[in-house]
Amino acid sequence: MLEFSTWKKAWYWALTLFFCACALPSLVALAPNVRWPSALPDHKINLGLDLAGGSRLLLEANRDQVTQQRLEAMEESVRTRLGQAQPVIAIGDVSSSGGKLAFTVRDASQVDAAREAILPLTSGAGLSGQRDWDITVEDGNRFVLVPTQAGIDLAISSAMETAVEVVRKRIDALGTKEPDIRRLGGTRIDVQVPGLQDPQALKNLLGQTAKLEFKMVDETALPSDLAKGAIPPGDEIVPWADPKDAAAQGVPVLAVKRLGGIKGDELTDAKQQFEQKTNAAVVSITFNQQGGEKFAKLTTDNVGKRFAIILDGKVLSAPSIREPILGGGAQISGSFTVQSATQLAIALRSGALPVDLTVVEERTVGPDLGADSIQKGIVAMGVGTGLLMIFILVTYGRFGVYANVALVVNVLMILGVMGLAGTTLTLPGIAGFVLTIGAAVDANVLINERIREERHRGRRVVQAVELGYKEASRAIFDANLTNVIAAVLMAAFGTGPVRGFAIVLLIGIATSVFTAVTMTRMWVAGWLRKARPADLNL
């Protein structure tokens, strides 16, 4: 166990020096008035919300909205499916109130054909063979579709998973590092953004659903009827986003066709630009191939008519289609500032939230508390490490020197691995950091005490050292294996502080075993080969 080839020594030293060098950016970041050279790689540890300060938002989704969206999607699917049947199955008297979809088949002889046509729509992605919708037929020709609880739960779960990813994309677009975004319970999302002291911009961005729609304006709807709340059949009333537009139209709402149109989920890009003539801030959007074809058909079939650009249920503008738009792109104008147009572009690029999110809790953590925690954590680690090094040095002499050097190298390697991986350090992570230092010292204590025992049994120096490392390594690996199992489980199933503690512990276990066992064994072997001592000062 004391034989080390030249290539092994070179490999161990290269590995050690590499990770120690990776720790330098993190150490420089702690020093006041010292900047890391911009020309060099800057892999440093990110500080969590409890250390760097920042903002925390607790968002809650609207369950009822998911149910309503499913009803609207089912209605459009039913109309499309029955309209494509041969012969066409005409329906009327459609109602989506009360959490269920009801419609009447005009020709009673087509009831069976209608049932066969819409039956595939009711299975969806039901769990364990269960249907997403229950179908009943009343009065001979009236269909009633009721969503099952399994279907509702699956839809909500899918919507929340999508919402988490959309929120993550939007926050990443802001340039923040290591946000902590996780789902809580059924309909809540916890968002923690270290380093962001003003949560208002974050609230504006996350509170915007960014549901973009292009729908045709019903030109037959009279402003006087709209003012009275009279909704033409097949239409929906949408308010204007800008009061100036509402005043110019003489009515605060606009009637648009409820079904059909184009949704913004077929966008590939959105960016803030300036309109050439007026220099006003606008948002330019680009559709994918399928969306571009739909947009081209919509504008080709409706030249001379108006279509409404609707964002989150409000009309931004309703321009007239002067000519077909075939390029797969469009421009959204409105009362935008550069900041609001940029936020809208980020929201559209990230995708629309499938459900509205409401801020139910807001918290801002100042950096002062985090700075105090860092300072006290460094002091605690420094005092503890100093006392340990003195104890090891006094107790084990030369072997204590090797153990202390390994301890310092272990600390640097932990910082280097965390910096290289971009790991976020939290207050519990500092606790895990200190714990691994104790584990590293414990390994050296086991090794040195075992060497003492072998010497007391009368074994020669080299044989005692070799057996000491061999026998102690078994206990060290067994003990650390149990810690690894516990840390892996905490990292896999834990969130927030628990996971932060587990990650630091896992890194620390790996580096402490390497430095306390492998590196010290190499150093001791080199000393024995060079000095050939007759006895050990242990």
Side-chain angles (χ1 to χ4, degrees), residues 208 210-213 309-316 344 348:
Q208 188 174 29
K211 182 181 179 182
L212 184 66
E213 297 174 291
I309 302 175
I310 304 171
L311 178 68
D312 293 344
K314 294 184 178 180
V315 179
L316 294 179
L344 176 58
L348 292 176

Side-chain angles (χ1 to χ4, degrees), residues 236-240 252-256 310 313-315:
E236 64 177 331
I237 301 300
V238 186
W240 287 92
V253 295
L254 186 67
V256 298
I310 304 171
K314 294 184 178 180
V315 179

Side-chain angles (χ1 to χ4, degrees), residues 25 35 71 97 120 127 164 196 243 283 296 352 356 371 472 530:
R35 290 187 177 181
L71 288 173
S97 60
L127 299 175
V164 169
L196 184 64
V283 178
D356 291 340
K530 181 178 180 181

Side-chain angles (χ1 to χ4, degrees), residues 71 75 92-97 100-104 138 142-145:
L71 288 173
E75 179 184 350
D93 192 18
V94 180
S95 171
S96 59
S97 60
K100 58 186 178 181
L101 177 64
F103 62 91
T104 302
E138 302 175 352
R142 184 166 180 79
F143 283 78
V144 179
L145 279 68

Side-chain angles (χ1 to χ4, degrees), residues 10 30 72-73 134 195 213 237 259 289 299 316 341 395 406 441 494 512:
L30 294 175
E72 293 176 358
D134 290 329
E213 297 174 291
I237 301 300
L259 300 179
Q289 181 177 358
T299 55
L316 294 179
T395 305
V441 173
S512 64

Side-chain angles (χ1 to χ4, degrees), residues 153-485:
D153 292 341
L154 184 63
I156 292 174
S157 178
S158 177
M160 291 305 299
E161 290 176 2
T162 304
V164 169
E165 290 305 313
V166 171
V167 167
R168 190 183 307 278
K169 289 179 182 179
R170 292 186 183 182
I171 293 178
D172 289 343
L174 291 176
T176 58
K177 293 185 177 181
E178 292 299 324
D180 184 8
I181 305 167
R182 58 184 183 272
R183 182 179 169 185
L184 297 180
T187 57
R188 290 191 171 188
I189 301 175
D190 185 37
V191 179
Q192 298 183 21
V193 186
L196 184 64
Q197 299 302 319
D198 183 11
Q200 189 59 46
L202 182 63
K203 288 169 59 180
N204 293 341
L205 185 60
L206 299 184
Q208 188 174 29
T209 307
K211 182 181 179 182
L212 184 66
E213 297 174 291
F214 298 85
K215 292 188 175 183
M216 295 307 302
V217 176
D218 187 352
E219 304 287 359
T220 64
L222 300 177
S224 58
D225 293 337
L226 297 179
K228 298 176 183 177
I231 305 176
D235 287 1
E236 64 177 331
I237 301 300
V238 186
W240 287 92
D242 191 347
K244 295 181 180 178
D245 293 329
Q249 297 291 325
V251 64
V253 295
L254 186 67
V256 298
K257 295 296 183 181
R258 186 165 59 89
L259 300 179
I262 301 174
K263 295 183 179 179
D265 54 2
E266 294 177 312
L267 297 179
T268 59
D269 192 21
K271 52 189 175 183
Q272 183 270 322
Q273 292 183 335
F274 293 97
E275 209 277 328
Q276 294 182 353
K277 295 181 179 180
T278 62
N279 202 35
V282 296
V283 178
S284 295
I285 59 175
T286 305
F287 291 98
N288 58 20
Q289 181 177 358
Q290 185 177 5
E293 292 174 356
K294 289 182 180 179
F295 193 67
K297 186 177 187 307
L298 178 72
T299 55
T300 301
D301 295 344
N302 295 280
V303 173
K305 300 178 182 179
R306 290 197 303 164
F307 71 99
I309 302 175
I310 304 171
L311 178 68
D312 293 344
K314 294 184 178 180
V315 179
L316 294 179
S317 61
S320 296
I321 303 174
R322 295 190 178 90
E323 59 184 14
I325 303 175
L326 307 177
Q331 196 175 79
I332 303 174
S333 59
S335 301
F336 292 132
T337 63
V338 173
Q339 181 180 3
S340 63
T342 302
Q343 286 186 347
L344 176 58
I346 292 175
L348 292 176
R349 283 199 306 269
S350 305
L353 286 169
V355 62
D356 291 340
L357 298 177
T358 304
V359 178
V360 296
E361 184 180 337
E362 174 186 343
R363 187 182 305 169
T364 302
V365 180
D368 295 339
L369 180 61
D372 184 63
S373 299
I374 295 174
Q375 182 181 3
K376 290 183 178 179
I378 293 175
V379 170
M381 187 171 62
V383 172
T385 303
L387 293 176
L388 278 174
M389 294 177 71
I390 293 173
F391 172 78
I392 293 294
L393 186 62
V394 171
T395 305
Y396 300 112
R398 172 180 286 274
F399 283 73
V401 172
Y402 294 143
N404 287 337
V405 174
L407 187 63
V408 174
V409 172
N410 179 46
V411 172
L412 293 176
M413 289 188 71
I414 294 175
L415 291 174
V417 173
M418 292 180 66
L420 195 63
T423 307
T424 299
L425 181 64
T426 61
L427 197 56
I430 293 179
F433 205 112
V434 176
L435 181 61
T436 58
I437 293 176
V441 173
D442 181 64
N444 285 119
V445 170
L446 287 174
I447 292 170
N448 294 334
E449 289 298 326
R450 187 69 189 194
I451 295 174
R452 272 182 176 177
E453 291 180 7
E454 297 300 330
R455 284 294 292 159
H456 289 163
R457 293 175 182 175
R459 299 190 186 277
R460 290 177 296 179
V461 171
V462 174
Q463 191 178 18
V465 172
E466 186 170 6
L467 286 175
Y469 270 98
K470 181 178 180 180
E471 298 300 327
S473 295
R474 296 176 182 174
I476 293 170
F477 283 117
D478 287 344
N480 282 286
L481 181 60
T482 58
N483 290 334
V484 167
I485 293 173

